Amino acid sequence: MPDNQSVLIVVEVKGGTPAPAAAELFTAAKAITADESIFALVVGTGAREAAVAVGRLGAVKVFAAEVGQVSSDAVALTVMPLAANLNPKIILLAETDLGRDLAPMLAARLSTAAVTDVIAIRTEGGSRIFTRPVYGGNALADFTIDTEPQVVSIRPKTFAPAPANDKHTVEILELPAAEPLTGVQILERVAVKETGPKIEEAKIVVGGGRGLGGPEGFAQLQELAGLLDGVVGASRPPCDQGWWPESGQIGVTGKIIAPDLYIAVGISGSSQHLSGVSGAKTLVAINKDAEANIFKAAAYGVTGDWKKVVPALVAKVKELTGR
Ligand SMILES: Cc1cc2nc3c(=O)[nH]c(=O)nc-3n(C[C@H](O)[C@H](O)[C@H](O)COP(=O)(O)OP(=O)(O)OC[C@H]3O[C@@H](n4cnc5c(N)ncnc54)[C@H](O)[C@@H]3O)c2cc1C
């Protein structure tokens, strides 16, 4: 049995491809423990295939569990016997739909505690301290967990992805997937139609808010985003109103994004929205209200009606790019 300095990373996989946040979890794990104490559980479809790629990120051993329908319940039941065997000090998950659900479930079943949506980890006086945003992103709070394993879900893009080492030899063990025990049954999965890059991975995002006044405004944002090879997203009101798909909502209850450039159009800059874009390298705001909170977060701002500003921006980008 490995010593209790070990870290167990849980990686979701679809069709043999590990979730993008997997490599980031390895960077977090390497900051906590030595490489020979890092273990990974790869769970989902094509787990065996993905286990090799995951192992190359730096795991000493990878456990692969083939699960057709990934649910937090099935993953928790797969992790539990593994945790009993490995006795890890910490279990790391990504703060995704699965991780958000899985972390508290796992902590309860392992009689320990979880901290979710972690954006920083540090050690002070021998205690590991986990920082996460609270009150809709208006404050940061520090947590410690006195019991083990400490269950921690990490916000995507918090850590840089660990590089893969193709020479790293990986021991892979296949695990039987657990059957969910609760009454929860997944009856159907409907894939969201996505064209172009995912909003969480896009380098340029153009976000539309209530100030657009209706779904028509989003067509203009799509034109701008298309010219910049970017993706369109939205604050919560346009998604609630059905002007833009819910899958494109940015913010504390939507997607957390960290693009190189975020252009916020007709968005006031609520804390719930801003906490989803705090990782953006450059924020540009277009708003007709010079006092709008979004300008406090913006590196560049245009005070004006988007109906005039966006077409002018589109025309300028066309002129500069020849598109
Ligand atoms: C628990 C909870 C969770 C939430 N989660 C989220 C979340 O994940 N994401 C999120 O976005 N919100 C979230 N919200 C909602 C949030 O509090 C705000 O209500 C929301 O972000 C406001 O969206 P908005 O900026 O588009 O709209 P508004 O606040 O109404 O702002 C519209 C802006 O458009 C500007 N405008 C109007 N017309 C024009 C024009 N012609 N040209 C230029 N500018 C114009 C206005 O000056 C204004 O600043 C949450 C709220 C709660 C309580």
Side-chain angles (χ1 to χ4, degrees):
M1 188 183 285
D3 65 53
N4 72 349
Q5 293 309 310
S6 58
V7 172
L8 176 63
I9 297 173
V10 180
V11 176
E12 190 184 354
V13 51
K14 276 191 196 134
T17 306
E24 299 163 23
L25 296 181
F26 273 85
T27 302
K30 284 165 195 268
I32 293 168
T33 194
D35 282 15
E36 56 273 19
S37 297
I38 300 177
F39 297 81
L41 168 67
V42 176
V43 62
T45 53
R48 179 70 179 76
E49 194 185 332
V52 178
V54 170
R56 285 179 180 154
L57 295 170
V60 66
K61 201 181 274 187
V62 179
F63 302 90
E66 190 67 33
V67 177
Q69 295 275 330
V70 173
S71 68
S72 46
D73 198 30
V75 179
L77 290 168
T78 307
V79 174
M80 280 159 61
L82 192 57
N85 184 258
L86 289 175
N87 190 23
K89 205 170 184 61
I90 180 162
I91 298 177
L92 290 182
L93 317 164
E95 176 76 4
T96 56
D97 289 345
L98 176 74
R100 208 173 279 151
D101 205 20
L102 182 58
M105 183 185 280
L106 206 48
R109 290 188 179 175
L110 293 169
S111 303
T112 179
V115 185
T116 56
D117 200 20
V118 167
I119 58 162
I121 304 175
R122 67 181 197 279
T123 305
E124 247 176 51
S127 291
R128 198 168 295 117
I129 297 172
F130 305 102
T131 306
R132 60 153 296 167
V134 290
Y135 300 120
N138 282 319
L140 297 176
D142 286 345
F143 294 84
T144 55
I145 305 177
D146 292 338
T147 47
E148 287 181 2
Q150 300 171 326
V151 181
V152 175
S153 65
I154 297 183
R155 183 184 280 205
K157 312 272 186 200
T158 294
F159 292 93
N165 177 0
D166 294 348
K167 296 197 178 75
H168 184 77
T169 47
V170 190
E171 189 183 343
I172 296 170
L173 286 161
E174 289 188 46
L175 289 184
E179 288 298 324
L181 285 180
T182 64
V184 178
Q185 216 187 333
I186 298 169
L187 300 178
E188 191 189 1
R189 277 179 196 262
V190 181
V192 176
K193 275 188 206 140
E194 278 176 316
T195 49
K198 287 186 169 191
I199 194 164
E200 305 96 307
E201 291 156 30
K203 294 212 177 304
I204 297 181
V205 176
V206 182
R210 192 179 351 230
L212 291 189
E216 304 77 24
F218 279 89
Q220 293 198 41
L221 299 198
Q222 276 179 296
E223 186 183 8
L224 177 62
L227 288 167
L228 297 169
D229 294 325
V231 171
V232 173
S235 63
R236 183 158 149 176
C239 300
D240 287 349
Q241 299 287 336
W243 303 347
W244 193 250
E246 212 178 305
S247 58
Q249 183 184 314
I250 301 164
V252 73
T253 45
K255 298 280 162 54
I256 307 291
I257 61 168
D260 291 341
L261 173 64
Y262 179 54
I263 306 176
V265 186
I267 292 178
S268 59
S270 68
S271 61
Q272 292 88 359
H273 186 76
L274 289 177
S275 74
V277 301
S278 59
K281 291 202 180 82
T282 304
L283 197 157
V284 176
I286 300 169
N287 197 303
K288 68 175 185 184
D289 175 9
E291 300 296 319
N293 196 50
I294 192 80
F295 288 123
K296 292 189 187 140
Y300 303 95
V302 183
T303 308
D305 188 335
W306 70 267
K307 288 184 192 133
K308 289 187 184 145
V309 180
V310 172
L313 198 53
V314 165
K316 193 70 188 171
V317 174
K318 281 184 180 167
E319 183 194 317
L320 291 172
T321 60
R323 283 183 154 184

